[in-house]
Amino acid sequence: EEIRSDIEAELKKWKRGKQGKKGVLRRLISRFMRLVKFMLWITLGSARSAFYQVWLQLTTRTNPFDAVKQDAEKKGLAMSGQRAISWCDACPLDEAKRMTQILSKASGSNITVNDLFVSCISAAVTRQLIEHEEFMAPVDAHSRKRVARNINVCIPVHLRGGVILPNESLGNRIGAFVTRVPGEMEHDARGGGTPSCPSDRLMKVHQSLKRSKQSPAPILSHYVAKFCSNYLPEQWTKNIFQRANCNACVAISNNRGYKDKIHMNGMTVESAHGFLPLPPGIPIGVVVQSYAGVMSLSVTAEKWAVPDPDKFLRWCLDEYSRLLETAAKLEKSQ
């Protein structure tokens, strides 16, 4: 109720401000210009998003985890339906925000908490692939064949930013986009990172996510998915969804929870963790969530893809620690 009243108050304040500052003619002109900008954004952005989607599909013919699955099937380890799950508290939310502010100032960019954790998760996925390759066919670190230089990630997006407006039903307003982020980098090949290496990955992740988030791809994906679910056979829909993920290795969902601890039946909910159902063809799903000032991570994965989910989350936290160390050094030098 408190959140709903805050939303209603902000909406009323916004409407009063719009009405008070502009006359009728200026409001009409302003609305017309916004409509023109929106149509241009939809038209040009849709074309660019479609081109990028086709480019990702053409340049990512296989999923890096396909070889892992084939090896597991030969060994009888790829049993259908087996899941590996784990969860942990990652860091205080204020610490993560402070880190992004420092790194943003140093790079002249606007790095977000979501960028930060997508970077950490992509590093963990890379280390998981490296471990699989070492178990399947031990090779020199610089002669790897299955660990790609880039991997695709799928990012679900709520079209309203997670906000349900007054008199609206809950509904399903989820879209998604696929984008490319760094896979194996030089510091991964050496088995560890120097302070600058994690920030190099983070900057590339930030640039990639920024381009995709500014496009209408989530809106387009929402309506395409809605049409397929309503009018096409289930098997067709599943195949379309699987092809649309462009052989992504991981789906990453970022959820903003309550600022304070909530209570149910008089009892305090000390922590909350969400788990992501795996989309067709994607072997790993990670939820990044904030609740009561704490950032948490949870992983759901195919057992053959992530045999040890606790280790996977430790890899995420290892990358976070290296970024934290980098931010601390930058803060001292500023």
Side-chain angles (χ1 to χ4, degrees), residues 88 121 251-255 273-277 285-289 296-300 313:
C88 69
I121 294 164
I252 305 171
S253 177
N254 184 6
N255 300 323
H273 302 274
F275 292 89
L276 183 67
V286 181
V287 175
V288 181
Q289 181 172 315
S296 65
L297 298 172
S298 65
V299 57
T300 306
L313 291 183

Side-chain angles (χ1 to χ4, degrees), residues 280-322:
I282 299 181
I284 305 173
V286 181
V287 175
V288 181
Q289 181 172 315
S290 65
Y291 174 74
V294 177
M295 296 297 301
S296 65
L297 298 172
S298 65
V299 57
T300 306
E302 300 282 5
K303 186 70 175 177
W304 53 264
V306 182
D308 188 343
D310 294 338
K311 181 190 286 188
F312 182 89
L313 291 183
R314 284 200 299 273
W315 286 334
C316 294
L317 298 181
D318 286 346
E319 187 77 0
Y320 177 87
S321 297
R322 287 196 284 268

Side-chain angles (χ1 to χ4, degrees), residues 78-299:
M79 296 181 65
S80 177
Q82 284 194 335
R83 294 286 189 268
I85 65 170
S86 185
W87 62 94
C88 69
D89 289 340
C91 65
L93 176 58
D94 289 341
E95 179 183 87
K97 287 182 176 179
R98 178 60 182 162
M99 190 195 310
T100 59
Q101 290 170 358
I102 295 169
L103 294 171
S104 295
K105 185 177 180 180
S107 62
S109 304
N110 184 23
I111 297 171
T112 65
V113 173
N114 186 52
D115 298 339
L116 177 69
F117 281 98
V118 170
S119 180
C120 294
I121 294 164
S122 69
V125 170
T126 300
R127 292 183 68 174
Q128 183 68 77
L129 286 167
I130 290 172
E131 183 178 86
H132 279 306
E133 178 146 14
E134 289 174 347
F135 278 122
M136 288 189 293
V139 294
D140 181 73
H142 299 283
S143 303
R144 294 195 182 98
K145 297 180 180 179
R146 297 182 178 88
V147 185
R149 291 293 177 184
N150 297 286
I151 60 175
N152 296 341
V153 299
C154 179
I155 310 291
V157 178
H158 194 283
L159 303 184
R160 290 283 182 81
V163 174
I164 307 297
L165 297 177
N167 301 319
E168 276 192 340
S169 61
L170 182 61
N172 181 359
R173 295 179 176 83
I174 304 295
F177 64 84
V178 179
T179 193
R180 179 162 291 177
V181 299
E184 184 176 21
M185 300 180 73
E186 291 183 5
H187 66 291
D188 298 313
R190 293 196 298 268
T194 61
S196 61
C197 290
S199 60
D200 292 342
R201 178 189 295 276
L202 176 59
M203 282 306 304
K204 292 180 180 180
V205 167
H206 164 70
Q207 292 164 2
S208 182
L209 290 179
K210 182 180 178 180
R211 286 193 300 268
S212 297
K213 285 188 288 188
Q214 291 177 343
S215 76
I219 298 173
L220 297 174
S221 67
H222 169 75
Y223 285 105
V224 169
K226 190 174 182 179
F227 173 82
C228 293
S229 300
N230 290 338
Y231 300 107
L232 298 184
E234 182 179 351
Q235 188 59 42
W236 289 17
T237 300
K238 184 177 180 180
N239 290 338
I240 291 172
F241 285 2
Q242 187 163 347
R243 288 180 178 275
N245 70 41
C246 300
N247 286 308
C249 293
V250 59
I252 305 171
S253 177
N254 184 6
N255 300 323
R256 183 183 302 173
Y258 295 101
K259 292 186 294 184
D260 302 309
K261 292 181 179 179
I262 61 174
H263 298 78
M264 299 180 68
N265 295 327
M267 294 181 289
T268 304
V269 178
E270 294 294 339
S271 64
H273 302 274
F275 292 89
L276 183 67
L278 294 180
I282 299 181
I284 305 173
V286 181
V287 175
V288 181
Q289 181 172 315
S290 65
Y291 174 74
V294 177
M295 296 297 301
S296 65
L297 298 172
S298 65
V299 57

Side-chain angles (χ1 to χ4, degrees), residues 21-131:
K21 291 180 180 179
K22 296 181 180 179
V24 176
L25 181 59
R26 291 186 62 189
R27 287 204 301 272
L28 289 174
I29 294 174
S30 178
R31 289 178 182 178
F32 176 74
M33 293 304 299
R34 285 202 302 270
L35 177 62
V36 171
K37 289 179 181 178
F38 176 76
M39 294 304 296
L40 287 172
W41 175 71
I42 282 289
T43 304
L44 299 179
S46 298
R48 182 183 180 280
S49 297
F51 176 80
Y52 185 61
Q53 184 80 7
V54 171
W55 179 75
L56 287 177
Q57 290 179 336
L58 292 176
T59 56
T60 317
R61 294 300 183 93
T62 60
N63 192 309
F65 278 94
D66 286 348
V68 179
K69 185 177 182 180
Q70 292 172 5
D71 183 72
E73 288 174 344
K74 290 179 182 178
K75 298 175 181 177
L77 301 176
M79 296 181 65
S80 177
Q82 284 194 335
R83 294 286 189 268
I85 65 170
S86 185
W87 62 94
C88 69
D89 289 340
C91 65
L93 176 58
D94 289 341
E95 179 183 87
K97 287 182 176 179
R98 178 60 182 162
M99 190 195 310
T100 59
Q101 290 170 358
I102 295 169
L103 294 171
S104 295
K105 185 177 180 180
S107 62
S109 304
N110 184 23
I111 297 171
T112 65
V113 173
N114 186 52
D115 298 339
L116 177 69
F117 281 98
V118 170
S119 180
C120 294
I121 294 164
S122 69
V125 170
T126 300
R127 292 183 68 174
Q128 183 68 77
L129 286 167
I130 290 172
E131 183 178 86

